[in-house]
């Protein structure tokens, strides 16, 4: 959710039962504007919150002028002081895949994992148990990246691609109609396309290159409602929209994409 419309977006996203206290909202509203200024981002998105045993991680992402360029991710434990996370790598994903259970809420916490490694001594090769330490900050980077790739969703029309290549925010986007909001084809993965590159020229001919430049949810495997669940919510008049539709992934419980019907507000919680 865009930091500039944070309060309205939090009202729309509160239908999931998860919300933020008034002091957290006030701190976020101020600190994210400072993050945007200090890091010179084009936009700052409040990504959401990852619950920990000791403390919770509040996650924000900075976006450059090209909206589909790699985003920079920051975290905070108090909604005021933000730390920049390093980019995710395949090595991080492999390293942290063995860690299970809840986050501690301490970036310096180290998980211990015992694994077998081959050791060469002359002509002899034998296996030895080695204790590997994995920092929670590394796990945080990997989990955020996996969630982004799997369930970060954007409504069709919210962004558009110019003939020169950069992806821009569509200032004329006014949400989805009620009929379009119920279709998986109206939602895209908010990342560089993967499946789109494999489409034939005949299939691409039916697409609008300025809008259909990302992978649609309708082509995910398994297809249809076995992977994604769409649901509508009616909300109060003071938030200035008719209603909004949520998009839940059935593979990852927690992240929820939503878009207003009759409103340009959209986001991921």
């Amino acid at each position: 959710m865009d930091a500039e419309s944070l309060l309205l977006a939090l009202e729309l996203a509160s239908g999931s039962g998860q919300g933020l206290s008034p002091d957290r909202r006030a701190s976020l509203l101020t600190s994210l504007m400072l993050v945007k200024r200090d890091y010179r981002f084009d936009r700052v998105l409040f990504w959401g919150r990852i619950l920990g045993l000791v403390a919770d991680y509040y996650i924000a992402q900075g976006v450059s002028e090209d909206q589909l360029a790699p985003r920079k991710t920051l975290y905070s434990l108090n909604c005021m002081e933000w730390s920049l996370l390093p980019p995710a790598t395949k090595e991080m994903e492999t390293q942290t895949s063995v860690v299970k259970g809840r986050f501690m809420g301490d970036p310096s916490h180290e998980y211990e994992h015992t694994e077998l490694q081959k050791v060469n001594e002359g002509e002899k090769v034998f296996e030895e148990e080695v204790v590997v330490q994995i920092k929670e900050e590394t796990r945080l980077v990997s989990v955020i990246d996996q969630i982004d790739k799997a369930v970060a969703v954007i409504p069709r029309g919210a962004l558009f691609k110019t003939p020169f290549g950069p992806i821009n925010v569509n200032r004329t986007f006014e949400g989805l109609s009620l009929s379009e909001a119920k279709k998986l084809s109206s939602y895209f993965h908010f990342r560089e396309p993967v499946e789109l590159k494999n489409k034939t020229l005949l299939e691409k001919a039916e697409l609008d290159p300025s809008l259909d430049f990302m992978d649609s949810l309708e082509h995910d495997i398994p297809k249809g409602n076995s992977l994604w669940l769409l649901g509508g919510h009616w909300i109060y008049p003071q938030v200035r929209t008719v209603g909004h539709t949520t998009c839940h992934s059935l593979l990852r419980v927690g992240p929820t994409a939503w878009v207003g019907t009759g409103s340009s507000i959209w986001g991921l919680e």
Side-chain angles (χ1 to χ4, degrees):
M1 54 188 74
D2 198 315
E4 293 186 358
S5 56
L6 183 65
L7 296 182
L8 175 57
L10 287 172
E11 288 292 337
L12 290 171
S14 61
S16 64
Q18 292 287 341
L20 299 179
S21 63
D23 60 323
R24 290 295 191 196
R25 293 186 182 203
S27 298
L28 278 175
L29 195 61
T30 303
S31 64
L32 290 181
M33 290 298 101
L34 294 177
V35 166
K36 179 181 178 181
R37 182 199 67 184
D38 295 343
Y39 286 91
R40 298 182 180 180
F41 293 136
D42 182 68
R43 288 197 306 150
V44 174
L45 307 177
F46 177 56
W47 185 91
R49 177 176 59 176
I50 293 181
L51 303 179
L53 296 175
V54 178
D56 298 336
Y57 292 104
Y58 296 87
I59 312 299
Q61 291 184 328
V63 184
S64 62
E65 289 188 11
D66 186 348
Q67 303 294 312
L68 213 56
R71 300 184 287 278
K72 294 187 181 298
T73 303
L74 305 94
Y75 75 91
S76 174
L77 298 174
N78 57 13
C79 295
M80 292 182 288
E81 299 171 339
W82 295 87
S83 301
L84 187 65
L85 289 170
T89 62
K90 283 287 185 182
E91 183 182 356
M92 285 182 178
E93 183 178 349
T94 303
Q95 185 183 23
T96 58
S97 62
V98 297
V99 182
K100 307 297 180 183
R102 293 277 301 275
F103 277 85
M104 291 298 299
D106 178 7
S108 62
H109 177 77
E110 292 186 342
Y111 302 93
E112 291 188 352
H113 171 67
T114 303
E115 61 181 35
L116 296 176
Q117 293 185 358
K118 291 184 179 180
V119 179
N120 296 324
E121 282 193 4
E123 298 180 352
K124 295 182 179 180
V125 179
F126 60 93
E127 291 184 335
E128 182 180 54
E129 286 190 350
V130 178
V131 177
V132 179
Q133 293 183 327
I134 304 167
K135 289 189 67 173
E136 179 156 283
E137 185 178 86
T138 303
R139 184 189 180 195
L140 185 65
V141 172
S142 179
V143 168
I144 293 172
D145 181 64
Q146 291 176 52
I147 291 175
D148 273 343
K149 289 178 178 177
V151 299
V153 172
I154 183 174
R156 184 178 186 271
L159 302 179
F160 74 96
K161 187 174 184 178
T162 66
F164 304 102
I167 312 299
N168 297 325
V169 175
N170 186 357
R171 303 297 179 185
T172 63
F173 179 68
E174 295 183 351
L176 299 174
S177 65
L178 289 175
S179 59
E180 291 298 319
K182 298 175 183 178
K183 300 176 182 177
L184 284 176
S185 58
S186 297
Y187 303 90
F188 296 127
H189 286 284
F190 191 18
R191 54 170 167 72
E192 286 290 339
V194 178
E195 298 299 327
L196 186 63
K197 299 175 182 178
N198 300 325
K199 287 183 176 294
T200 64
L201 292 177
L202 186 60
E203 290 173 324
K204 291 181 179 180
E206 300 177 355
L207 304 178
D208 184 340
S210 64
L211 298 178
D212 303 315
F213 51 87
M214 293 176 285
D215 292 329
S216 171
L217 300 191
E218 67 173 338
H219 300 304
D220 286 359
I221 299 175
K223 293 184 177 181
N225 293 334
S226 57
L227 186 59
W228 293 96
L229 179 64
L230 299 179
H233 294 270
W234 299 106
I235 52 181
Y236 298 103
Q238 56 263 34
V239 295
R240 302 191 300 278
T241 185
V242 176
H244 70 289
T245 299
T246 59
C247 184
H248 297 265
S249 169
L250 300 180
L251 293 182
R252 282 190 175 270
V253 179
T256 301
W258 52 269
V259 58
T261 50
S263 168
S264 61
I265 303 297
W266 57 273
L268 177 73
E269 56 169 310

